[in-house]
Amino acid sequence: MWCTMQHSMSRIAGMLMVLIVLLSACGNQPQAMSPTSAPATPPTAVPVDQATSQSPAAPTAPQASVTATGGTLTVAINGDIDNFDPAFNQLILYEAVIRNTVFSSLVSLDKDMQIVPALAASWEQQDETTWIFNLRRGVTFHNGKPFSAEDVLHTFDRTLRQKMTFASKLEPIERTEVIDDHTLKITLKRPVATFLDDLYDIAITPSNIGDEELKRNPIGAGPFRFVSWTPNESIVLERNPDYWEPGKPYLDRLVFRVLPDTTAAILNLIAGEIDAIYDVPIADAQAVKDNPDVIFHRPSASGSLFLIELGIANHSALQDVRVRRALAHTIDRATINQVVYFNEGEITCTPLPAFSWAYVEQECPVYDLNLARTLLEEAGKTDLKFSIEVISGVKAMEDIATIWQASLRQIGVVLEINKSELNTWLDRYVNKNYDTIANWFNVSSDPNSMFDIIYKPLLASVYDNPKMGQLILDAAATTDQSARKAMYADLQRMTIDETAPLIVVMGQPMLALTSKKVTNWEMNGRNVILFQTATVAS
């Protein structure tokens, strides 16, 4: 999905050079995780033995009885990265390729979307606004600098002072006190239920490295060290022998090859030129679904939702709720799932994925063109015409828009599909210059990620709804989970009842392909691969 933050806007998600835009979980700004990031608070845990589900038609990945070590894993990615500073880059692709390999944060997300310790070995919440973090000892950055509380302070300071991409995540902090080199006390201005999830997005950088160097030479405390970058060709990482997780990573080397054409990437996989492909469209994977040498990998649950965001203030007809409800009845989810996702998507209309602890099943608007026509007649909008913005070459966007266009045509509504390159699409998205726009977002472990990143900017620009806005703020500030769930239930219901500020079209499947040589491949609902656990046979 793509994402938006209130303060600064960054590079939105691009996965696929095709760049699947899914804004990642960042403050309130457009972010781009591949639609990946994506990019909160732990949901109900998924049993460990269900962490990776396989496509029914695909071979099941063999699991090594004894963990193999060493070797080089070569992974195809569909886009390149040209800024390696984690404080600026919000691409979902960046999160998977650099932020979770080269860097570490105080906390992390595991394959089941649970918050787990990282550079903070443990923490304690003393009251609603006071946190004590016990930092991991014996950790060194890739440049040899010992990790300490000083580096956390440095990271927080530069992020806030320079109003970097993730500054809104740290805005609730009133003060950070160093108890000793490995103990921090953080006092918040107000209760923030999403605080741990927000810290996941803050990669800790060493205090002796400048901003300009980080852009081209990322230095962190993650499982892999940066070796080289050849623009539009490859990114090479090597094992960090001093990584804080004993014995990990298992690989000696991790190579990312830029292959924007998925078909070409699949041919390379079959030929043995690469070992894996990150983020594969379901349609492209059909060509190898019966190939016994290709393994299909999925997270236990996908947090990716395909959205149609509504520029309500930009088109007078959309300001009438009857018109918006009419449009909701023209979304043919069954056909979209069959044609675009080969029946592997999830038919849903709520802005939270089913794995979220705050998810509440809603009654979705039925696909009913006669009802849609009646609502338009009641609103006096029988000659409705509007447009949708999609990214050229992103097949899911183009196909869904085309299916919607065909349905609308049957009731006399004209939908113009505007296909543009990513930068043009992004400019329109950030400036809210559209009637409607296709997007997708990977929801994090805390439900606030969707409402903070996607809803807030829409409420501040094209849809004035103070009640919804206040509910989002109250839900993020409430620490009682049952009370929060009730608030998020209201937000999910309001989204459907008011058909605003967006329409949730589908839950999207996430997919990666590997050869049989690859084992221990783990991915989570934000489309992040946990490469420190991966192994490859020689």
Side-chain angles (χ1 to χ4, degrees):
M1 104 134 201
W2 303 79
C3 124
T4 31
M5 285 198 198
Q6 268 178 333
H7 297 311
S8 55
M9 149 215 146
S10 135
R11 266 316 99 139
I12 189 166
M15 279 277 65
L16 267 33
M17 171 98 84
V18 149
L19 268 160
I20 306 180
V21 286
L22 156 141
L23 298 168
S24 107
C26 52
N28 289 328
Q29 206 167 282
Q31 184 174 286
M33 294 189 126
S34 279
T36 140
S37 72
T41 312
T44 302
V46 178
V48 174
D49 60 0
Q50 297 176 15
T52 301
S53 60
Q54 306 296 329
S55 171
T60 301
Q63 293 301 312
S65 56
V66 177
T67 301
T69 59
T72 296
L73 179 68
T74 302
V75 182
I77 54 177
N78 40 36
D80 199 9
I81 295 168
D82 60 5
N83 182 345
F84 294 99
D85 187 342
F88 281 106
N89 203 317
Q90 294 173 261
L91 291 175
I92 287 186
L93 181 63
Y94 177 87
E95 180 181 8
V97 172
I98 298 296
R99 215 196 70 212
N100 281 280
T101 54
V102 174
F103 296 95
S104 290
S105 301
L106 290 180
V107 301
S108 188
L109 284 174
D110 68 10
K111 64 180 182 294
D112 299 322
M113 296 295 287
Q114 299 292 301
I115 294 287
V116 294
L119 291 180
S122 63
W123 52 84
E124 174 191 356
Q125 186 175 11
Q126 294 187 328
D127 55 45
E128 285 194 326
T129 59
T130 307
W131 293 77
I132 302 294
F133 288 89
N134 300 305
L135 306 184
R136 204 173 290 276
R137 297 172 183 272
V139 176
T140 58
F141 288 101
H142 301 157
N143 63 352
K145 182 190 182 302
F147 163 68
S148 72
E150 171 194 24
D151 302 296
V152 181
L153 287 179
H154 164 76
T155 301
F156 286 6
D157 178 66
R158 84 180 188 105
T159 303
L160 287 166
R161 179 169 37 82
Q162 299 183 44
K163 297 181 179 179
M164 292 176 171
T165 298
F166 296 100
S168 64
K169 301 286 188 181
L170 301 175
E171 179 277 330
I173 296 178
E174 182 174 282
R175 62 181 178 277
T176 302
E177 304 169 59
V178 175
I179 306 300
D180 57 45
D181 279 352
H182 295 91
T183 311
L184 278 177
K185 179 180 180 181
I186 298 179
T187 304
L188 305 179
K189 302 171 187 174
R190 56 187 179 277
V192 180
T194 64
F195 185 54
L196 285 179
D197 190 73
D198 291 340
L199 289 179
Y200 166 75
D201 287 311
I202 309 299
I204 305 301
T205 56
S207 59
N208 61 347
I209 298 297
D211 297 344
E212 287 304 312
E213 183 174 355
L214 276 173
K215 291 179 182 178
R216 61 183 185 277
N217 181 28
I219 294 175
F224 294 91
R225 300 187 299 201
F226 178 77
V227 175
S228 65
W229 168 53
T230 303
N232 298 312
E233 192 172 307
S234 66
I235 296 169
V236 179
L237 310 179
E238 67 181 5
R239 182 178 188 273
N240 173 15
D242 301 316
Y243 183 51
W244 48 267
E245 264 192 286
K248 296 181 181 177
Y250 302 127
L251 299 166
D252 286 336
R253 209 166 179 83
L254 185 54
V255 177
F256 295 99
R257 280 186 55 190
V258 180
L259 292 173
D261 187 317
T262 307
T263 300
I266 289 175
L267 290 174
N268 274 270
L269 179 65
I270 295 171
E273 296 297 319
I274 60 174
D275 305 304
I277 310 173
Y278 169 72
D279 195 24
V280 182
I282 290 293
D284 293 323
Q286 299 307 301
V288 290
K289 68 178 182 179
D290 297 320
N291 188 324
D293 296 321
V294 177
I295 310 301
F296 283 45
H297 298 267
R298 305 175 184 283
S300 57
S302 170
S304 183
L305 297 174
F306 192 100
L307 317 171
I308 295 174
E309 299 183 31
L310 307 175
I312 296 171
N314 302 332
H315 195 297
S316 59
L318 296 180
Q319 294 164 30
D320 189 322
V321 68
R322 293 170 297 183
V323 172
R324 300 197 302 270
R325 287 174 180 162
L327 296 184
H329 288 293
T330 65
I331 304 295
D332 188 354
R333 291 178 173 84
T335 296
I336 290 170
N337 192 29
Q338 179 181 5
V339 174
V340 181
Y341 300 116
F342 292 82
N343 291 321
E344 296 190 37
E346 180 182 359
I347 293 181
T348 184
C349 60
T350 183
L352 292 178
F355 72 66
S356 174
W357 55 262
Y359 170 82
V360 176
E361 187 173 356
Q362 305 289 317
E363 183 177 351
C364 294
V366 296
Y367 177 61
D368 189 333
L369 297 183
N370 289 329
L371 177 55
R373 183 185 290 108
T374 298
L375 287 167
L376 290 176
E377 289 172 352
E378 290 177 0
K381 301 297 181 182
T382 55
D383 58 346
L384 181 61
K385 180 179 180 179
F386 66 102
S387 62
I388 185 169
E389 308 296 326
V390 303
I391 301 171
S392 179
V394 178
K395 195 170 186 326
M397 282 189 176
E398 293 183 357
D399 289 350
I400 289 174
T402 300
I403 292 170
W404 195 28
Q405 182 186 56
S407 292
L408 290 166
R409 186 183 297 120
Q410 294 182 56
I411 58 172
V413 175
V414 176
L415 175 64
E416 180 181 339
I417 301 174
N418 295 331
K419 301 177 184 180
S420 58
E421 296 303 314
L422 174 62
N423 287 340
T424 301
W425 180 98
L426 183 56
D427 181 68
R428 289 174 182 158
Y429 184 90
V430 172
N431 293 299
K432 299 295 178 281
N433 181 23
Y434 53 78
D435 295 339
T436 67
I437 193 165
N439 187 17
W440 64 74
F441 181 73
N442 292 348
V443 182
S444 190
S445 62
D446 192 279
N448 182 62
S449 61
M450 167 62 84
F451 298 101
D452 183 50
I453 295 166
I454 298 297
Y455 277 60
K456 275 186 177 180
L458 293 171
L459 294 175
S461 56
V462 294
Y463 183 58
D464 184 20
N465 188 321
K467 182 179 179 181
M468 185 177 279
Q470 188 59 52
L471 199 52
I472 291 171
L473 294 176
D474 291 345
T478 301
T479 55
D480 180 81
Q481 186 162 299
S482 61
R484 291 187 76 203
K485 183 169 184 175
M487 294 178 191
Y488 287 121
D490 286 343
L491 285 166
Q492 292 169 78
R493 177 187 50 77
M494 290 169 69
T495 297
I496 296 169
D497 288 351
E498 301 176 25
T499 316
L502 51 79
I503 297 173
V504 177
V505 177
M506 288 288 300
Q508 298 192 125
M510 292 178 177
L511 176 65
L513 302 180
T514 73
S515 74
K516 292 195 297 185
K517 296 193 305 179
V518 178
T519 53
N520 301 314
W521 180 279
E522 296 180 348
M523 58 193 296
N524 66 28
R526 275 180 65 150
N527 213 13
V528 170
I529 312 301
L530 307 182
F531 285 110
Q532 63 267 37
T533 68
T535 56
V536 62
S538 55

